[in-house]
Amino acid sequence: MSRRIKRTETRSDRPPTRRKSAPARADRPSSDRERSERPNRDRPGSERFKSERAAGPRSETRSDREPRGERKDRGDEWAPRERPSAKPPSAKRPSPKHPSAKHPSTKRAAGKPGRFTAERMERPAAAPAARKSEPDAQPLPTKVQTVVVTADENNMRVDRFLEARFPGLSFSHIQRIVRKGELRVDGKRADSKDRLEEGQSVRIPPLKLDAPKERGALSEAERKTLESLKAMTLYEDDDVLVLNKPAGLAVQGGSGMTRHIDQMLEVMRDAKGQKPRLVHRIDRETSGCLLIAKTRFAATHLTGAFRSRSARKIYWALVAGVPKPKQGRISTYLAKDEGEEDTIMRVAAHGDEGASHAVTYYAVVEASATKLAWVSLKPVTGRTHQLRAHMAHIGHPIVGDPKYFNKENWALPGGLQNRLHLLARRIVIPHPRGGVIDATAPLPPHMLQSWNLLGLEADRFDPIENAPEE
């Protein structure tokens, strides 16, 4: 009789505090004796049953509880006992070489990208190739050595090559080893101004040079300059940088000018002393895309793309009046007129001293009555003030141009700022390592204000995008 009463009492009637504090069965040591006694642990005579009996009365029976397999919320008490593994738990974790360890974002929920997004994982691996092609600063040479010219050093002068390879090497030392014939290129004597080609072997004698100076921490002013450059960045990789230059900031220095892009790039010098190089220029009052090369290799290829006219540049402008026809080609010769206080470009005749041929395509995107027009411009050549001089030449100068636009001659709507309304909207150019760079700059604040005032739609189709190149 007592045995039957004991069978109706169940373990689920134990106090919650006792159930939570009970150690997980899987954590207990396993032995042959314990495994042999496991089937009898729930028998009335077992020690566990006696301790449960002493815990107090029970309020439910075994038949009132949910099935054993569904009790997943009660910890490890009802989990099946696991045999001890031959390896520690840490051995089951993916190693750093496992794909899941490299890209944890592949397991994240949609809409919450991780550190490595899908777009970043699919990006072409151009950056590592760029770093591999750049030579590291060599240690102080104590004996004759032979080095190979890399792609980044192609078309570099011999003296520049030595300066880049061995920071701290003096100019006089370079001239001395070249003059004595101690430096050889493919086994032949070389001059300091000779150009090197990728793959050539350069024999370098023992050199005496000072250890390169390490660049210290950036000052507060340099940090602010670096932050300004980052805020301007439209596109960047290991070879190329495209900035959205604001209106009023010059690209290069001039008389009385202390802040310009070329000077700001000083904070981006690398460990070998190289700083990014300007590939092309836009006027001080013109805003928009400015292309910069971060390596010699990129500078050579991008400059060649401009020279061969493989680069496509699209400009937006607000001009006085509406050009007729609404699409056309402007072809003139431009020469520089230098005055006492200012310099402008004038239309010259073929053969005039200093005259250069200039070609521009234009198209009217949208007109504001007959007073103003939004035009898209595509310069085929790259002369100084070319777009500004060409639009003034056909009788439709760019609004706010301090050199070629006279506001008193035009009855313009109020509210327009008297600033140059010219934007380097887009640049498309082959990437030095394959593919295409395609960067677009937004309207600057003063032009956006004018667009909103005139009701112009900045997202309209640009008809000059595929203009022919001649």
Side-chain angles (χ1 to χ4, degrees):
M1 184 67 179
S2 61
R3 190 177 184 86
R4 186 176 304 167
I5 294 173
K6 291 179 181 179
R7 286 182 180 273
T8 60
E9 296 176 348
T10 62
R11 289 172 294 176
S12 61
D13 296 328
R14 287 176 298 166
T17 56
R18 180 175 181 83
R19 183 187 309 155
K20 291 182 180 179
S21 61
R25 190 177 301 175
D27 296 336
R28 299 175 183 175
S30 177
S31 63
D32 295 339
R33 180 180 178 182
E34 183 178 352
R35 284 196 296 270
S36 64
E37 295 176 357
R38 191 179 304 155
N40 299 324
R41 65 172 60 217
D42 293 335
R43 297 185 60 181
S46 65
E47 294 294 326
R48 177 176 177 178
F49 188 89
K50 293 178 180 180
S51 62
E52 291 172 355
R53 176 77 178 271
R58 305 180 181 181
S59 59
E60 63 179 19
T61 63
R62 187 185 302 271
S63 60
D64 295 331
R65 299 195 307 265
E66 64 271 25
R68 182 185 183 105
E70 298 179 1
R71 298 185 56 158
K72 299 180 180 179
D73 56 7
R74 300 201 178 180
D76 296 333
E77 181 182 353
W78 289 88
R81 186 178 184 86
E82 296 183 359
R83 294 181 179 271
S85 174
K87 297 181 178 181
S90 60
K92 297 182 180 180
R93 297 177 183 174
S95 64
K97 296 183 179 180
H98 195 277
S100 63
K102 284 186 178 181
H103 305 296
S105 64
T106 56
K107 296 184 179 181
R108 293 174 180 257
K112 295 182 179 180
R115 180 180 177 185
F116 301 95
T117 61
E119 179 181 358
R120 186 167 182 178
M121 288 188 288
E122 296 174 0
R123 184 176 178 180
R131 289 304 180 195
K132 289 180 181 179
S133 66
E134 294 182 6
D136 295 331
Q138 302 293 327
L140 302 180
T142 57
K143 60 182 180 179
V144 175
Q145 57 179 298
T146 301
V147 297
V148 179
V149 179
T150 66
D152 189 47
E153 297 166 332
N154 186 50
N155 201 37
M156 187 185 296
R157 285 176 32 159
V158 170
D159 52 358
R160 304 299 183 194
F161 170 83
L162 291 174
E163 289 176 356
R165 286 271 182 165
F166 307 102
L169 187 62
S170 65
F171 177 77
S172 59
H173 196 167
I174 294 175
Q175 297 301 318
R176 183 167 59 254
I177 63 175
V178 171
R179 184 175 62 254
K180 291 182 177 181
E182 297 177 357
L183 183 139
R184 301 277 178 142
V185 178
D186 288 342
K188 300 178 181 179
R189 294 176 65 107
D191 187 79
S192 60
K193 296 181 180 180
D194 289 347
R195 300 280 178 173
L196 298 173
E197 296 179 3
E198 180 183 357
Q200 285 184 323
S201 298
V202 182
R203 175 192 179 276
I204 301 174
L207 302 175
K208 296 178 181 179
L209 57 150
D210 299 329
K213 296 180 180 179
E214 296 183 0
R215 182 176 177 86
L218 295 177
S219 64
E220 183 66 23
E222 289 174 329
R223 283 198 297 269
K224 290 182 179 179
T225 299
L226 189 59
E227 291 175 359
S228 299
L229 289 173
K230 289 182 179 179
M232 300 178 199
T233 301
L234 297 173
Y235 172 84
E236 183 180 14
D237 59 27
D238 285 343
D239 292 289
V240 182
L241 176 66
V242 183
L243 298 179
N244 179 21
K245 188 192 78 66
L249 179 61
V251 174
Q252 284 184 304
S255 58
M257 196 172 299
T258 58
R259 182 177 174 84
H260 49 84
I261 295 293
D262 194 37
Q263 175 263 333
M264 295 174 68
L265 294 175
E266 289 287 343
V267 300
M268 297 184 66
R269 284 189 180 273
D270 59 18
K272 294 179 292 183
Q274 301 183 48
K275 80 167 187 177
R277 298 163 175 81
L278 299 171
V279 177
H280 71 124
R281 297 159 184 81
I282 56 179
D283 296 338
R284 178 177 181 178
E285 297 301 326
T286 303
S287 62
C289 298
L290 180 66
L291 186 65
I292 294 169
K294 297 175 67 175
T295 62
R296 291 187 179 91
F297 172 78
T300 300
H301 284 71
L302 295 176
T303 303
F306 276 99
R307 189 180 299 113
S308 63
R309 297 180 183 175
S310 300
R312 295 168 50 208
K313 296 179 290 182
I314 308 296
Y315 287 75
W316 281 1
L318 185 68
V319 301
V322 181
K324 294 182 180 180
K326 292 190 174 182
Q327 295 188 23
R329 176 178 181 269
I330 307 171
S331 177
T332 68
Y333 284 84
L334 296 177
K336 184 180 295 185
D337 271 352
E338 297 185 1
E340 295 181 358
E341 298 181 356
D342 206 354
T343 300
I344 64 171
M345 301 299 291
R346 62 175 176 84
V347 175
H350 178 50
D352 286 357
E353 182 180 358
S356 301
H357 189 219
V359 178
T360 301
Y361 286 91
Y362 75 89
V364 176
V365 181
E366 192 172 357
S368 177
T370 59
K371 301 292 184 181
L372 298 165
W374 165 18
V375 296
S376 181
L377 305 169
K378 182 176 183 180
V380 178
T381 55
R383 312 303 179 198
T384 303
H385 298 175
Q386 175 177 319
L387 302 180
R388 300 160 62 181
H390 271 176
M391 296 312 296
H393 172 65
I394 64 173
H396 300 281
I398 299 175
V399 173
D401 192 332
K403 296 180 180 290
Y404 304 93
F405 174 74
N406 188 352
K407 185 177 181 181
E408 297 178 356
N409 297 335
W410 298 89
L412 301 179
L416 299 182
Q417 296 187 40
N418 191 23
R419 302 182 64 182
L420 181 65
H421 283 59
L422 180 61
L423 166 70
R425 169 68 174 177
R426 183 181 178 191
I427 186 167
V428 182
I429 190 170
H431 194 284
R433 302 190 185 274
V436 174
I437 302 168
D438 189 349
T440 301
L443 287 170
H446 70 282
M447 290 182 66
L448 181 60
Q449 177 184 346
S450 300
W451 257 243
N452 293 334
L453 179 66
L454 300 173
L456 303 176
E457 301 175 11
D459 57 350
R460 291 197 57 179
F461 171 70
D462 192 348
I464 202 67
E465 180 179 334
N466 296 314
E469 296 180 2
E470 296 181 4

